[in-house]
């Protein structure tokens, strides 16, 4: 999570409220900080600032205590004896006027949480203990159940309905990302319960996987049994506009769906060379990781509308069913993130397939213009839509990045490798071996032809394009172009 100093200062200036809480916490955590975490989880989420007193003074957290406070907080919110169900939150240090403020963002949860044995709700700028108020507790449970379909319990489902090898892979990924991750020492059922993917219906006493659990990790038959209409339709439509040029109908669980979406994107969109500072990053992968996680996490799965990702000439657009909290084009400057499926989102974050709530919009805006020349559009409504302009393979325009480095964006990294290999004459077989291509016709049309048309590559037998003796070499223009690329 990256905290903006301006936003933090604005929160301090506006003071405490329904979604903002200050804790002085100079050398240790205030004991009631976990009451606030519980209240925010149960209400609308919110921001906790450690190092700010009740009078809006930034007093700062003692620098020698920062690490201990962070570790204590993260460990405690992961402990079901303190916060139940446990949650996974991060603590982000921010330096303001030489003082350290610890920023904690608590998203709204789709569950009802307890702190110790108590249930807290948020009321104005305070945490309200509602444990013994049966009416308020009942309304809280009803609100959560009616707002979040991901919590629907499927009685009598269990480990036999999920892909256990995929669950093991997710555990391994989470523990590689964080060595002390609580999943490390849990058995399969404990992990599912910890991640809120297996629950007990408090009205009937029946237990089972939730819709979130089946969607995330379920076997194919289990997913379609729970949600028969579930699918993500991936379409390439550039030549045959009435139908499609390529299509992948994805009906598997969400973790596997994520990989299928990115594979389809990699197959049909270029990955232009791009420098951020002195680091080469993949614009395509950075952008479409956010897109893939968005259409999987923020979908209303009770709606039969099929999610779509459509690649057209010069753009990609997505559509998925939605419970809107506004209408029209999202303004990133005033955008307030709202968790549509908090349990699914939290699981995706643990395995590195998503970042903190709201960061996806920021990343799309940050890199979208560099990739396709225009800012992406995100349109809120009953159908949530994303429109992203994209370059074509071998496109001829150059575009500078936001840092003003003048990085050219026309070539994919694959094409850069081709040019490098063609500094000496190379056969088509040699060139295809770079990334294991097997279809010569597609390789000529999609990779070599754009380079030749741009004057960066030439044939040794120009009058016999398909000659068995044909080789390719970089032109002087191509050699000059390579000098702009640094790995």
């Amino acid at each position: 999570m990256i905290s903006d100093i301006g936003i933090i200062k604005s929160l301090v200036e506006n003071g405490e409220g329904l979604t903002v809480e200050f804790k002085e916490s100079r050398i240790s955590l205030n004991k009631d900080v976990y009451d606030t975490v519980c209240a925010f989880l149960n209400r609308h989420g919110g921001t906790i600032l450690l190092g700010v007193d009740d009078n809006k003074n930034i007093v700062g957290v003692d620098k020698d205590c920062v690490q201990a406070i962070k570790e204590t907080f993260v460990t405690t919110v992961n402990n079901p004896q303190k916060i139940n169900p446990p949650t996974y939150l991060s603590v982000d240090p921010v330096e303001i006027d030489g003082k350290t403020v610890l920023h904690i963002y608590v998203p709204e949860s789709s569950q009802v949480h307890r702190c110790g044995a108590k249930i807290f709700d948020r009321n104005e700028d305070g945490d309200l203990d509602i444990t013994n108020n049966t009416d308020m507790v009942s309304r809280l449970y009803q609100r959560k159940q009616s707002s979040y379909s991901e919590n629907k319990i499927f009685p009598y489902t269990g480990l036999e309905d999920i892909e256990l090898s995929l669950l093991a892979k997710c555990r391994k990924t989470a523990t590689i990302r964080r060595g002390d991750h609580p999943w490390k020492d849990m058995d399969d059922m404990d992990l599912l319960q910890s991640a809120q993917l297996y629950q007990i219906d408090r009205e009937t006493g029946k237990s089972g996987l939730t819709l979130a659990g089946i969607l995330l990790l379920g076997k194919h038959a289990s997913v379609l049994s729970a949600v028969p209409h579930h699918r993500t339709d991936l379409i390439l439509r550039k030549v045959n506009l009435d139908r499609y040029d390529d299509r992948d109908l994805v009906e598997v669980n969400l973790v596997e769906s994520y990989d299928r979406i990115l594979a389809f994107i990699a197959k049909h969109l270029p990955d232009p060379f791009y420098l951020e500072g002195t680091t080469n990053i993949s614009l395509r992968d950075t952008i479409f990781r956010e897109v893939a996680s968005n259409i999987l996490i923020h979908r209303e799965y009770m709606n039969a509308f099929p999610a779509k990702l459509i690649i057209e000439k010069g753009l990609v657009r997505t559509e998925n069913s939605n419970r809107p909290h506004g209408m029209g084009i999202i303004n990133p400057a005033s955008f307030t993130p709202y968790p549509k499926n908090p349990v699914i989102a939290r699981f995706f974050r643990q395995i590195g397939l998503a970042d903190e709530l709201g960061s996806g919009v920021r990343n799309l805006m940050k890199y979208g213009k560099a990739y396709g020349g225009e800012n992406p559009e995100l349109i809120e409504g009953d159908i949530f839509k994303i429109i992203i302009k994209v370059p074509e393979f071998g496109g001829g325009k150059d575009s500078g990045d936001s840092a003003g480095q003048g990085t050219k964006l026309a070539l994919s990294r694959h094409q850069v490798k081709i040019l490098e290999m063609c500094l000496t004459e190379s056969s088509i077989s040699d060139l295809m071996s770079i990334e294991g291509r097997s279809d010569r016709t597609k390789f000529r049309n999609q990779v070599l032809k754009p380079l030749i048309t741009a004057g960066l590559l030439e044939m040794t037998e120009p009058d016999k394009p398909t000659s068995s003796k044909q080789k390719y070499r970089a032109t002087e223009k191509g050699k000059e172009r390579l000098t702009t690329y640094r790995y």
Side-chain angles (χ1 to χ4, degrees):
M1 179 171 60
I2 300 175
S3 299
D4 184 279
I5 293 177
I7 293 175
I8 300 299
K9 285 185 173 181
S10 176
L11 289 173
V12 173
E13 183 178 334
N14 291 330
E16 294 180 310
L18 187 64
T19 59
V20 178
E21 178 74 16
F22 303 151
K23 303 292 183 185
E24 192 166 329
S25 300
R26 289 194 184 193
I27 60 174
S28 63
L29 283 164
N30 296 54
K31 291 183 179 180
D32 61 353
V33 69
Y34 303 110
D35 298 350
T36 302
V37 169
C38 181
F40 280 166
L41 288 167
N42 286 338
R43 182 50 57 174
H44 299 311
T47 297
I48 301 173
L49 298 179
L50 307 182
V52 182
D53 67 21
D54 291 339
N55 296 317
K56 302 192 290 188
N57 298 312
I58 298 177
V59 297
V61 175
D62 190 305
K63 293 186 185 299
D64 293 332
C65 301
V66 167
Q67 190 59 33
I69 288 175
K70 288 174 61 178
E71 291 177 357
T72 298
F73 178 84
V74 171
T75 300
T76 304
V77 297
N78 282 329
N79 181 359
Q81 300 301 317
K82 187 63 178 179
I83 300 292
N84 190 21
T87 189
Y88 310 106
L89 302 175
S90 60
V91 184
D92 190 24
V94 185
E95 293 296 319
I96 301 178
D97 301 328
K99 298 176 181 177
T100 301
V101 173
L102 297 182
H103 175 208
I104 303 167
Y105 176 69
V106 184
E108 179 181 357
S109 175
S110 60
Q111 306 293 308
V112 174
H113 291 260
R114 293 175 180 264
C115 180
K118 297 180 179 180
I119 300 176
F120 288 90
D121 201 352
R122 189 71 175 173
N123 181 21
E124 297 297 334
D125 60 352
D127 306 318
L128 182 64
D129 180 359
I130 64 171
T131 311
N132 297 321
N133 189 320
T134 56
D135 185 52
M136 294 182 72
V137 171
S138 177
R139 288 204 303 269
L140 178 58
Y141 274 102
Q142 289 173 0
R143 179 167 61 83
K144 295 291 186 180
Q145 291 168 356
S146 63
S147 298
Y148 297 99
S149 57
E150 65 173 357
N151 285 332
K152 180 180 178 181
I153 295 172
F154 290 80
Y156 312 115
T157 58
L159 293 175
E160 67 277 6
D161 296 288
I162 68 170
E163 297 284 359
L164 292 178
S165 61
L166 184 60
L167 180 61
K169 179 181 177 182
C170 290
R171 177 193 285 108
K172 183 177 180 180
T173 300
T175 53
I176 289 174
R177 287 169 50 81
R178 178 182 150 196
D180 63 344
H181 199 287
W183 290 356
K184 183 177 182 179
D185 299 318
M186 294 181 182
D187 63 25
D188 290 344
M189 182 55 73
D190 286 341
L191 191 160
L192 292 175
Q193 291 175 335
S194 171
Q196 301 166 37
L197 305 182
Y198 188 98
Q199 297 181 36
I200 299 174
D201 188 321
R202 296 185 180 274
E203 291 186 6
T204 66
K206 294 178 180 179
S207 61
L209 293 169
T210 63
L211 177 60
I214 293 173
L215 282 169
L216 281 164
L217 300 165
K219 295 177 179 178
H220 184 239
S222 301
V223 172
L224 294 186
S225 176
V227 192
H229 52 264
H230 168 62
R231 72 180 188 191
T232 304
D233 204 355
L234 310 177
I235 299 171
L236 175 70
R237 185 180 290 147
K238 291 186 178 181
V239 178
N240 189 341
L241 302 183
D242 294 327
R243 288 178 56 82
Y244 51 81
D245 307 315
D246 192 12
R247 186 182 190 184
D248 186 8
L249 191 58
V250 182
E251 298 178 331
V252 294
N253 63 55
L254 302 190
V255 175
E256 294 173 333
S257 292
Y258 180 92
D259 292 337
R260 291 266 290 273
I261 292 170
L262 291 188
F264 192 82
I265 288 292
K267 181 179 179 182
H268 294 299
L269 289 180
D271 192 12
F273 184 86
Y274 180 84
L275 285 177
E276 186 170 64
T278 59
T279 303
N280 173 27
I281 69 170
S282 169
L283 284 174
R284 181 193 66 195
D285 293 352
T286 300
I287 292 167
F288 286 98
R289 278 198 300 266
E290 302 293 353
V291 172
S293 62
N294 183 282
I295 61 178
L296 296 175
I297 291 173
H298 300 298
R299 187 188 310 178
E300 176 45 62
Y301 284 95
M302 290 295 97
N303 190 317
F305 182 87
K308 301 183 184 71
L309 183 147
I310 304 171
I311 302 175
E312 300 176 332
K313 187 76 171 178
L315 65 84
V316 173
R317 57 186 175 90
T318 70
E319 300 177 354
N320 61 274
S321 57
N322 183 41
R323 283 193 177 186
H325 293 272
M327 300 296 287
I329 296 177
I330 290 176
N331 180 355
S334 58
F335 169 66
T336 300
Y338 187 92
K340 307 292 173 57
N341 292 299
V343 171
I344 293 174
R346 190 179 303 114
F347 192 89
F348 263 55
R349 287 197 296 271
Q350 299 313 304
I351 60 176
L353 302 188
D355 295 318
E356 292 298 326
L357 190 65
S359 63
V361 171
R362 293 191 293 272
N363 284 336
L364 285 178
M365 293 301 171
K366 180 178 180 181
Y367 298 111
K369 188 171 184 178
Y371 186 62
E374 295 182 26
N375 285 327
E377 288 187 0
L378 292 85
I379 305 167
E380 180 90 75
D382 292 329
I383 304 300
F384 187 87
K385 299 177 182 179
I386 302 175
I387 301 174
I388 300 174
K389 293 299 178 67
V390 299
E392 295 295 324
F393 279 104
K397 69 175 183 178
D398 295 338
S399 174
D401 65 40
S402 58
Q405 302 206 20
T407 306
K408 295 180 177 179
L409 299 177
L411 299 180
S412 70
R413 284 182 290 180
H414 187 195
Q415 288 169 318
V416 172
K417 291 178 183 178
I418 295 294
L419 283 178
E420 287 179 333
M421 196 164 184
C422 288
L423 290 174
T424 58
E425 293 182 0
S426 300
S427 68
I428 190 169
S429 298
D430 293 334
L431 299 177
M432 289 173 66
S433 69
I434 293 177
E435 291 195 7
R437 300 288 284 262
S438 58
D439 190 317
R440 290 192 174 216
T441 300
K442 285 187 178 180
F443 184 74
R444 285 194 187 96
N445 291 337
Q446 294 178 356
V447 181
L448 299 181
K449 186 176 179 180
L451 292 172
I452 295 170
T453 301
L456 305 177
L457 195 68
E458 63 185 6
M459 295 180 284
T460 58
E461 303 282 341
D463 297 329
K464 301 177 181 179
T466 59
S467 170
S468 60
K469 298 180 180 179
Q470 184 68 263
K471 292 192 175 183
Y472 299 85
R473 61 189 170 216
T475 64
E476 290 303 315
K477 183 179 177 180
K479 294 175 184 177
E480 290 176 6
R481 187 63 174 278
L482 279 175
T483 64
T484 66
Y485 293 89
R486 298 288 183 270
Y487 289 93

